Amino acid sequence: MYKYTTSSFTTRLGMRPIVARALYSSSASSPIKRVAVVGGGQMGAGIAQVSATFEHGVTLIDVNAEALERGQKYMAKSLARVAKKKFPAEPNVASDWVEAVLGRVRPTTSLSEGVRSADLVVEAVVENIGVKQKLFGDIAQAAPGHCLLASNTSSLPIGRIAEHLDAEAKARTLGLHFFNPVPQMKLVEVVRAEHTGAQAIESAVAFVESIGKAPAVCKDTPGFIVNRLLLPYMMEAIRLLERGAAEARDIDTAMKLGAGYPMGPFELCDYVGLDTLKFITDGWFKEGDGLRGDKAFAASPKLDELVAAGHLGVKSGRGFYDYSASKKK
Ligand code: 3HC
Protein backbone atom coordinates (compact mmCIF):
# COMPACT_ATOMS: atom_id res chain seq x y z
CA MET A 1 0.00 0.00 0.00
CA TYR A 2 1.37 3.41 -0.92
CA LYS A 3 1.26 5.96 1.81
CA TYR A 4 2.65 9.48 1.79
CA THR A 5 3.96 11.70 4.53
CA THR A 6 3.82 15.47 4.48
CA SER A 7 7.51 15.74 3.66
CA SER A 8 7.47 13.14 0.90
CA PHE A 9 4.36 14.83 -0.42
CA THR A 10 5.92 18.26 -0.72
CA THR A 11 9.20 17.07 -2.14
CA ARG A 12 7.72 14.63 -4.62
CA LEU A 13 4.71 16.64 -5.67
CA GLY A 14 3.86 15.86 -9.25
CA MET A 15 6.00 12.73 -9.39
CA ARG A 16 3.89 10.38 -7.34
CA PRO A 17 2.16 7.21 -8.57
CA ILE A 18 -1.10 9.03 -8.00
CA VAL A 19 -3.51 6.60 -9.54
CA ALA A 20 -1.88 3.61 -7.89
CA ARG A 21 -2.16 5.32 -4.53
CA ALA A 22 -5.78 6.26 -5.12
CA LEU A 23 -6.64 2.73 -6.09
CA TYR A 24 -4.91 0.97 -3.24
CA SER A 25 -5.02 3.38 -0.35
CA SER A 26 -7.93 2.74 1.95
CA SER A 27 -6.69 4.61 4.98
CA ALA A 28 -6.69 8.13 3.56
CA SER A 29 -8.73 10.11 6.05
CA SER A 30 -9.95 13.48 4.90
CA PRO A 31 -10.10 16.38 7.36
CA ILE A 32 -12.90 17.69 5.16
CA LYS A 33 -16.35 16.81 6.40
CA ARG A 34 -18.56 19.70 5.24
CA VAL A 35 -18.58 20.73 1.61
CA ALA A 36 -20.28 23.75 0.05
CA VAL A 37 -20.80 23.72 -3.71
CA VAL A 38 -21.54 27.01 -5.44
CA GLY A 39 -23.47 26.53 -8.69
CA GLY A 40 -26.21 23.93 -9.17
CA GLY A 41 -25.55 23.18 -12.86
CA GLN A 42 -24.55 19.74 -14.06
CA MET A 43 -20.99 19.98 -12.70
CA GLY A 44 -21.97 21.54 -9.37
CA ALA A 45 -24.82 19.10 -8.83
CA GLY A 46 -22.51 16.20 -9.72
CA ILE A 47 -19.89 17.38 -7.20
CA ALA A 48 -22.56 17.81 -4.51
CA GLN A 49 -23.92 14.35 -5.33
CA VAL A 50 -20.62 12.47 -5.05
CA SER A 51 -19.68 14.36 -1.87
CA ALA A 52 -23.01 13.42 -0.28
CA THR A 53 -22.71 9.83 -1.53
CA PHE A 54 -19.51 9.53 0.48
CA GLU A 55 -21.20 10.87 3.61
CA HIS A 56 -20.04 14.47 3.56
CA GLY A 57 -22.55 17.07 4.68
CA VAL A 58 -23.20 19.29 1.66
CA THR A 59 -24.76 22.66 0.96
CA LEU A 60 -25.65 23.42 -2.64
CA ILE A 61 -25.76 27.13 -3.33
CA ASP A 62 -27.29 28.90 -6.31
CA VAL A 63 -28.94 32.21 -7.07
CA ASN A 64 -32.54 31.07 -7.12
CA ALA A 65 -34.90 28.21 -6.28
CA GLU A 66 -35.31 27.14 -9.93
CA ALA A 67 -31.57 26.60 -10.36
CA LEU A 68 -31.44 24.60 -7.13
CA GLU A 69 -34.41 22.54 -8.22
CA ARG A 70 -32.68 21.71 -11.53
CA GLY A 71 -29.60 20.60 -9.59
CA GLN A 72 -31.69 18.42 -7.28
CA LYS A 73 -33.43 16.82 -10.26
CA TYR A 74 -30.07 16.04 -11.86
CA MET A 75 -28.87 14.42 -8.63
CA ALA A 76 -32.08 12.40 -8.16
CA LYS A 77 -31.90 11.04 -11.71
CA SER A 78 -28.22 10.19 -11.50
CA LEU A 79 -28.55 8.63 -8.03
CA ALA A 80 -31.45 6.48 -9.21
CA ARG A 81 -29.13 5.12 -11.89
CA VAL A 82 -26.39 4.41 -9.38
CA ALA A 83 -28.85 2.87 -6.88
CA LYS A 84 -30.27 0.50 -9.48
CA LYS A 85 -26.80 -1.00 -9.92
CA LYS A 86 -25.96 -0.92 -6.21
CA PHE A 87 -29.18 -2.64 -5.07
CA PRO A 88 -30.41 -4.49 -8.18
CA ALA A 89 -32.86 -6.75 -6.37
CA GLU A 90 -34.00 -4.32 -3.66
CA PRO A 91 -35.95 -1.38 -5.11
CA ASN A 92 -37.08 -0.18 -1.68
CA VAL A 93 -33.55 -0.18 -0.31
CA ALA A 94 -32.45 1.61 -3.47
CA SER A 95 -34.99 4.40 -3.10
CA ASP A 96 -34.23 4.77 0.64
CA TRP A 97 -30.57 5.11 -0.24
CA VAL A 98 -31.31 7.79 -2.85
CA GLU A 99 -33.41 9.69 -0.29
CA ALA A 100 -30.66 9.42 2.32
CA VAL A 101 -28.01 10.79 -0.05
CA LEU A 102 -30.28 13.60 -1.24
CA GLY A 103 -31.07 14.37 2.40
CA ARG A 104 -27.40 15.15 2.99
CA VAL A 105 -27.53 17.97 0.40
CA ARG A 106 -29.04 21.17 1.77
CA PRO A 107 -29.99 23.68 -0.90
CA THR A 108 -29.71 27.39 -0.18
CA THR A 109 -29.69 30.69 -2.04
CA SER A 110 -27.58 32.37 0.65
CA LEU A 111 -23.86 32.23 -0.11
CA SER A 112 -22.76 33.46 3.31
CA GLU A 113 -25.00 31.04 5.15
CA GLY A 114 -24.10 28.17 2.82
CA VAL A 115 -20.32 28.45 3.27
CA ARG A 116 -20.34 29.52 6.94
CA SER A 117 -19.34 26.15 8.38
CA ALA A 118 -17.70 24.59 5.32
CA ASP A 119 -14.31 22.85 5.33
CA LEU A 120 -14.22 23.04 1.54
CA VAL A 121 -16.01 25.27 -0.95
CA VAL A 122 -16.07 24.18 -4.60
CA GLU A 123 -17.12 26.85 -7.07
CA ALA A 124 -18.75 25.63 -10.29
CA VAL A 125 -20.36 28.72 -11.80
CA VAL A 126 -20.14 30.35 -15.23
CA GLU A 127 -16.63 30.65 -16.77
CA ASN A 128 -16.32 34.40 -16.27
CA ILE A 129 -13.20 35.71 -14.56
CA GLY A 130 -14.91 38.79 -13.07
CA VAL A 131 -17.75 36.73 -11.64
CA LYS A 132 -15.34 34.19 -10.15
CA GLN A 133 -13.00 36.83 -8.66
CA LYS A 134 -15.93 38.57 -6.95
CA LEU A 135 -17.32 35.23 -5.74
CA PHE A 136 -14.00 34.13 -4.25
CA GLY A 137 -13.76 37.46 -2.40
CA ASP A 138 -17.24 36.90 -0.94
CA ILE A 139 -16.53 33.26 -0.09
CA ALA A 140 -13.22 34.12 1.63
CA GLN A 141 -15.09 36.67 3.77
CA ALA A 142 -17.87 34.30 4.82
CA ALA A 143 -16.13 30.92 5.12
CA PRO A 144 -14.12 29.79 8.17
CA GLY A 145 -10.38 30.57 8.21
CA HIS A 146 -9.37 26.94 7.65
CA CYS A 147 -11.69 26.38 4.68
CA LEU A 148 -10.21 25.28 1.33
CA LEU A 149 -11.36 27.44 -1.58
CA ALA A 150 -11.53 25.50 -4.84
CA SER A 151 -12.63 26.28 -8.38
CA ASN A 152 -13.87 23.71 -10.87
CA THR A 153 -12.84 25.99 -13.74
CA SER A 154 -11.76 24.21 -16.88
CA SER A 155 -10.20 27.17 -18.67
CA LEU A 156 -9.34 30.04 -16.31
CA PRO A 157 -6.09 30.30 -14.32
CA ILE A 158 -6.54 29.66 -10.60
CA GLY A 159 -3.93 32.37 -9.99
CA ARG A 160 -6.18 34.96 -11.65
CA ILE A 161 -9.30 33.79 -9.86
CA ALA A 162 -7.47 34.27 -6.54
CA GLU A 163 -5.79 37.53 -7.62
CA HIS A 164 -7.59 39.82 -5.16
CA LEU A 165 -7.41 37.56 -2.10
CA ASP A 166 -4.88 38.11 0.68
CA ALA A 167 -1.85 35.80 0.93
CA GLU A 168 -3.38 33.65 3.65
CA ALA A 169 -6.56 32.99 1.64
CA LYS A 170 -4.49 32.45 -1.52
CA ALA A 171 -2.58 29.65 0.23
CA ARG A 172 -5.94 27.88 0.68
CA THR A 173 -7.05 28.40 -2.93
CA LEU A 174 -6.63 25.75 -5.63
CA GLY A 175 -8.34 24.04 -8.54
CA LEU A 176 -10.44 20.90 -8.21
CA HIS A 177 -11.35 20.00 -11.77
CA PHE A 178 -14.01 17.33 -12.16
CA PHE A 179 -15.12 15.66 -15.40
CA ASN A 180 -18.52 15.16 -16.95
CA PRO A 181 -20.46 13.04 -15.99
CA VAL A 182 -19.09 13.66 -12.49
CA PRO A 183 -20.70 10.60 -10.84
CA GLN A 184 -19.05 8.33 -13.40
CA MET A 185 -15.66 9.89 -14.24
CA LYS A 186 -12.98 8.81 -11.79
CA LEU A 187 -10.48 11.64 -12.18
CA VAL A 188 -10.17 14.96 -10.38
CA GLU A 189 -7.32 17.29 -11.30
CA VAL A 190 -5.91 18.99 -8.20
CA VAL A 191 -4.48 22.24 -9.47
CA ARG A 192 -1.66 23.88 -7.60
CA ALA A 193 -1.32 27.58 -8.32
CA GLU A 194 1.93 29.35 -7.40
CA HIS A 195 0.40 30.62 -4.18
CA THR A 196 -1.29 27.35 -3.10
CA GLY A 197 0.13 25.89 0.11
CA ALA A 198 1.32 22.27 0.38
CA GLN A 199 -1.17 21.68 3.21
CA ALA A 200 -4.07 22.72 0.98
CA ILE A 201 -2.98 20.30 -1.74
CA GLU A 202 -2.57 17.51 0.77
CA SER A 203 -6.08 18.08 2.19
CA ALA A 204 -7.56 18.32 -1.30
CA VAL A 205 -5.93 15.04 -2.36
CA ALA A 206 -7.32 13.34 0.76
CA PHE A 207 -10.76 14.76 0.00
CA VAL A 208 -10.68 13.51 -3.60
CA GLU A 209 -9.77 10.05 -2.36
CA SER A 210 -12.53 10.21 0.25
CA ILE A 211 -15.12 10.54 -2.51
CA GLY A 212 -13.80 7.50 -4.39
CA LYS A 213 -11.95 9.41 -7.09
CA ALA A 214 -8.34 9.47 -8.25
CA PRO A 215 -6.44 12.77 -7.92
CA ALA A 216 -3.91 13.98 -10.46
CA VAL A 217 -1.89 16.92 -9.11
CA CYS A 218 -0.76 19.47 -11.68
CA LYS A 219 0.38 23.04 -12.09
CA ASP A 220 -1.88 25.95 -12.98
CA THR A 221 -1.27 25.92 -16.74
CA PRO A 222 -3.99 26.27 -19.43
CA GLY A 223 -6.13 23.14 -19.67
CA PHE A 224 -4.24 21.53 -16.79
CA ILE A 225 -3.66 17.96 -18.06
CA VAL A 226 -6.80 16.56 -19.63
CA ASN A 227 -8.15 19.56 -21.52
CA ARG A 228 -4.66 20.54 -22.71
CA LEU A 229 -4.52 17.19 -24.51
CA LEU A 230 -8.21 16.74 -25.31
CA LEU A 231 -8.97 20.10 -26.89
CA PRO A 232 -6.27 20.02 -29.61
CA TYR A 233 -7.59 16.54 -30.47
CA MET A 234 -11.18 17.76 -30.69
CA MET A 235 -10.20 20.81 -32.77
CA GLU A 236 -8.08 18.68 -35.10
CA ALA A 237 -11.05 16.33 -35.62
CA ILE A 238 -13.16 19.34 -36.67
CA ARG A 239 -10.44 20.45 -39.09
CA LEU A 240 -10.32 16.92 -40.52
CA LEU A 241 -14.05 17.25 -41.19
CA GLU A 242 -13.57 20.74 -42.67
CA ARG A 243 -10.91 19.40 -45.03
CA GLY A 244 -13.40 16.75 -46.19
CA ALA A 245 -11.14 13.90 -45.11
CA ALA A 246 -14.07 11.93 -43.69
CA GLU A 247 -17.60 12.29 -42.34
CA ALA A 248 -18.11 12.99 -38.62
CA ARG A 249 -19.67 9.57 -38.07
CA ASP A 250 -16.71 7.79 -39.70
CA ILE A 251 -14.20 9.81 -37.68
CA ASP A 252 -16.12 8.89 -34.51
CA THR A 253 -16.27 5.23 -35.47
CA ALA A 254 -12.55 5.27 -36.26
CA MET A 255 -11.57 6.69 -32.88
CA LYS A 256 -13.92 4.44 -30.93
CA LEU A 257 -13.00 1.21 -32.69
CA GLY A 258 -9.45 2.06 -33.73
CA ALA A 259 -8.27 3.82 -30.59
CA GLY A 260 -10.68 2.47 -27.98
CA TYR A 261 -12.11 5.85 -26.94
CA PRO A 262 -15.54 5.64 -25.25
CA MET A 263 -16.86 8.45 -27.47
CA GLY A 264 -15.73 9.72 -30.86
CA PRO A 265 -14.47 13.33 -31.00
CA PHE A 266 -17.75 14.70 -32.41
CA GLU A 267 -19.82 12.88 -29.82
CA LEU A 268 -17.49 14.33 -27.22
CA CYS A 269 -17.72 17.87 -28.69
CA ASP A 270 -21.52 17.65 -28.58
CA TYR A 271 -21.39 16.23 -25.06
CA VAL A 272 -19.07 18.93 -23.69
CA GLY A 273 -21.02 21.67 -25.55
CA LEU A 274 -19.83 23.50 -28.65
CA ASP A 275 -20.15 26.89 -26.95
CA THR A 276 -17.90 25.64 -24.15
CA LEU A 277 -15.37 24.31 -26.65
CA LYS A 278 -15.36 27.60 -28.55
CA PHE A 279 -15.15 29.68 -25.39
CA ILE A 280 -12.12 27.76 -24.13
CA THR A 281 -10.20 27.64 -27.43
CA ASP A 282 -10.93 31.30 -28.30
CA GLY A 283 -9.72 32.32 -24.84
CA TRP A 284 -6.48 30.36 -25.12
CA PHE A 285 -5.81 31.61 -28.66
CA LYS A 286 -6.25 35.18 -27.47
CA GLU A 287 -4.50 35.12 -24.13
CA GLY A 288 -3.64 31.61 -22.95
CA ASP A 289 -0.34 31.48 -21.11
CA GLY A 290 2.11 30.10 -23.69
CA LEU A 291 -0.76 29.39 -26.13
CA ARG A 292 -1.41 32.84 -27.59
CA GLY A 293 -1.75 32.50 -31.34
CA ASP A 294 -1.28 28.72 -31.22
CA LYS A 295 -2.75 27.31 -34.45
CA ALA A 296 -4.23 24.34 -32.59
CA PHE A 297 -6.73 26.73 -31.02
CA ALA A 298 -7.43 29.01 -34.00
CA ALA A 299 -11.10 29.57 -34.79
CA SER A 300 -12.82 26.87 -36.85
CA PRO A 301 -15.41 28.09 -39.40
CA LYS A 302 -17.51 24.95 -38.83
CA LEU A 303 -17.53 25.37 -35.06
CA ASP A 304 -18.29 29.10 -35.34
CA GLU A 305 -21.15 28.39 -37.75
CA LEU A 306 -22.76 25.82 -35.43
CA VAL A 307 -22.43 28.01 -32.34
CA ALA A 308 -23.83 31.06 -34.19
CA ALA A 309 -26.84 28.96 -35.23
CA GLY A 310 -27.43 27.92 -31.61
CA HIS A 311 -26.47 24.30 -32.31
CA LEU A 312 -24.54 23.73 -29.11
CA GLY A 313 -24.61 19.94 -28.91
CA VAL A 314 -26.66 17.55 -26.78
CA LYS A 315 -27.99 20.31 -24.53
CA SER A 316 -29.62 22.23 -27.41
CA GLY A 317 -30.79 19.12 -29.29
CA ARG A 318 -28.36 19.61 -32.15
CA GLY A 319 -24.63 19.99 -32.70
CA PHE A 320 -22.56 17.91 -35.08
CA TYR A 321 -25.41 15.41 -34.70
CA ASP A 322 -29.16 15.87 -34.46
CA TYR A 323 -30.60 14.67 -31.14
CA SER A 324 -34.17 15.76 -31.76
CA ALA A 325 -35.48 12.43 -33.10
CA SER A 326 -33.81 10.16 -30.61
CA LYS A 327 -31.33 10.54 -27.81
CA LYS A 328 -28.91 8.11 -29.42
CA LYS A 329 -27.33 8.70 -32.78
N1 3HC B 1 -24.76 9.49 -13.36
C1 3HC B 1 -24.45 8.28 -12.90
N2 3HC B 1 -23.95 7.31 -13.69
C2 3HC B 1 -23.76 7.60 -14.99
C3 3HC B 1 -24.06 8.86 -15.53
C4 3HC B 1 -24.58 9.83 -14.66
N3 3HC B 1 -24.89 11.06 -15.05
N4 3HC B 1 -23.75 8.84 -16.85
C5 3HC B 1 -23.28 7.63 -17.13
N5 3HC B 1 -23.29 6.87 -16.02
C6 3HC B 1 -22.85 5.49 -15.88
C7 3HC B 1 -23.89 4.48 -16.30
O1 3HC B 1 -24.76 4.15 -15.25
C8 3HC B 1 -23.02 3.28 -16.70
O2 3HC B 1 -22.55 2.63 -15.55
P1 3HC B 1 -22.13 1.04 -15.59
O3 3HC B 1 -21.08 0.90 -16.64
O4 3HC B 1 -21.62 0.77 -14.22
O5 3HC B 1 -23.39 0.33 -15.92
C9 3HC B 1 -21.80 3.96 -17.31
O6 3HC B 1 -21.79 5.31 -16.82
C10 3HC B 1 -21.87 3.99 -18.81
O7 3HC B 1 -23.04 4.68 -19.19
P2 3HC B 1 -23.99 4.24 -20.39
O8 3HC B 1 -23.98 2.74 -20.51
O9 3HC B 1 -25.30 4.92 -20.26
O10 3HC B 1 -23.37 4.93 -21.67
P3 3HC B 1 -21.96 4.78 -22.29
O11 3HC B 1 -21.38 3.42 -22.12
O12 3HC B 1 -22.15 5.35 -23.63
O13 3HC B 1 -21.06 5.77 -21.40
C11 3HC B 1 -20.09 7.83 -20.81
C12 3HC B 1 -21.37 7.11 -21.25
C13 3HC B 1 -19.74 7.41 -19.38
C14 3HC B 1 -20.42 9.31 -20.82
C15 3HC B 1 -18.92 7.42 -21.79
O14 3HC B 1 -19.35 7.61 -23.12
C16 3HC B 1 -17.67 8.22 -21.57
O15 3HC B 1 -16.89 7.95 -20.68
N6 3HC B 1 -17.47 9.25 -22.43
C17 3HC B 1 -16.35 10.14 -22.34
C18 3HC B 1 -16.68 11.23 -21.37
C19 3HC B 1 -15.57 12.22 -21.25
O16 3HC B 1 -14.58 12.19 -21.96
N7 3HC B 1 -15.76 13.13 -20.29
C20 3HC B 1 -14.83 14.21 -20.12
C21 3HC B 1 -15.28 15.37 -20.93
S1 3HC B 1 -14.16 16.73 -20.77
C22 3HC B 1 -14.65 17.47 -19.36
O17 3HC B 1 -15.61 17.13 -18.69
C23 3HC B 1 -13.81 18.61 -18.93
C24 3HC B 1 -14.50 19.91 -19.10
O18 3HC B 1 -13.69 20.86 -18.47
C25 3HC B 1 -14.69 20.33 -20.55
Side-chain angles (χ1 to χ4, degrees):
M1 184 186 299
Y2 182 90
K3 229 163 174 280
Y4 65 81
T5 61
T6 307
S7 58
S8 74
F9 182 84
T10 43
T11 49
R12 300 174 62 199
L13 199 62
M15 293 182 287
R16 297 162 305 130
I18 288 159
V19 172
R21 181 166 51 77
L23 291 176
Y24 298 118
S25 165
S26 58
S27 62
S29 68
S30 167
I32 290 161
K33 305 288 177 225
R34 285 156 304 180
V35 181
V37 180
V38 188
Q42 239 181 61
M43 296 305 287
I47 297 163
Q49 177 187 325
V50 291
S51 302
T53 299
F54 285 85
E55 315 253 319
H56 294 287
V58 180
T59 51
L60 182 62
I61 304 157
D62 211 320
V63 288
N64 57 43
E66 293 76 56
L68 288 169
E69 220 167 277
R70 269 198 303 277
Q72 284 170 306
K73 274 193 185 142
Y74 173 89
M75 289 188 285
K77 205 168 151 193
S78 172
L79 282 167
R81 221 168 150 173
V82 177
K84 215 169 159 180
K85 285 182 288 183
K86 208 171 154 70
F87 310 101
E90 300 160 297
N92 290 339
V93 178
S95 69
D96 287 352
W97 181 80
V98 171
E99 286 309 310
V101 175
L102 285 174
R104 284 196 283 276
V105 182
R106 190 170 58 83
T108 177
T109 52
S110 165
L111 180 74
S112 56
E113 192 259 316
V115 304
R116 196 166 48 208
S117 57
D119 302 312
L120 164 70
V121 179
V122 185
E123 165 275 314
V125 304
V126 63
E127 289 284 85
N128 177 304
I129 189 69
V131 170
K132 287 189 198 275
Q133 285 175 336
K134 160 93 175 62
L135 193 56
F136 270 72
D138 293 345
I139 294 169
Q141 286 267 318
H146 71 276
C147 181
L148 290 191
L149 313 176
S151 175
N152 180 56
T153 183
S154 46
S155 63
L156 300 169
I158 303 300
R160 278 195 68 201
I161 292 172
E163 208 165 73
H164 305 305
L165 302 180
D166 63 31
E168 187 280 320
K170 276 182 176 166
R172 294 184 277 121
T173 304
L174 73 159
L176 277 183
H177 186 216
F178 290 77
F179 295 85
N180 199 14
V182 176
Q184 180 67 14
M185 304 306 279
K186 289 282 171 250
L187 183 73
V188 180
E189 290 171 326
V190 178
V191 184
R192 177 170 48 102
E194 269 182 32
H195 52 64
T196 309
Q199 185 62 53
I201 297 293
E202 186 172 358
S203 299
V205 163
F207 167 72
V208 169
E209 290 172 345
S210 80
I211 57 169
K213 303 228 179 267
V217 179
C218 60
K219 285 188 180 173
D220 186 17
T221 62
F224 312 132
I225 301 169
V226 173
N227 282 348
R228 181 67 184 84
L229 296 174
L230 210 47
L231 269 69
Y233 157 72
M234 289 153 89
M235 291 303 286
E236 191 54 29
I238 300 174
R239 298 192 213 286
L240 205 59
L241 178 73
E242 285 173 338
R243 292 196 296 271
E247 297 296 330
R249 193 171 300 281
D250 289 315
I251 297 171
D252 275 352
T253 300
M255 293 312 292
K256 283 191 287 188
L257 302 187
Y261 286 22
M263 284 177 167
F266 295 99
E267 290 171 327
L268 187 57
C269 287
D270 280 354
Y271 187 66
V272 165
L274 304 190
D275 51 343
T276 303
L277 179 60
K278 179 171 162 53
F279 176 84
I280 297 175
T281 48
D282 283 356
W284 289 352
F285 189 77
K286 225 170 98 197
E287 53 177 8
D289 185 17
L291 300 181
R292 208 166 293 124
D294 188 324
K295 278 198 310 214
F297 308 109
S300 140
K302 182 70 188 167
L303 182 62
D304 287 355
E305 177 196 310
L306 288 168
V307 172
H311 300 322
L312 308 180
V314 178
K315 65 184 166 191
S316 75
R318 189 167 159 194
F320 286 100
Y321 295 106
D322 188 348
Y323 301 88
S324 54
S326 66
K327 271 201 123 185
K328 206 85 185 158
K329 299 155 291 294

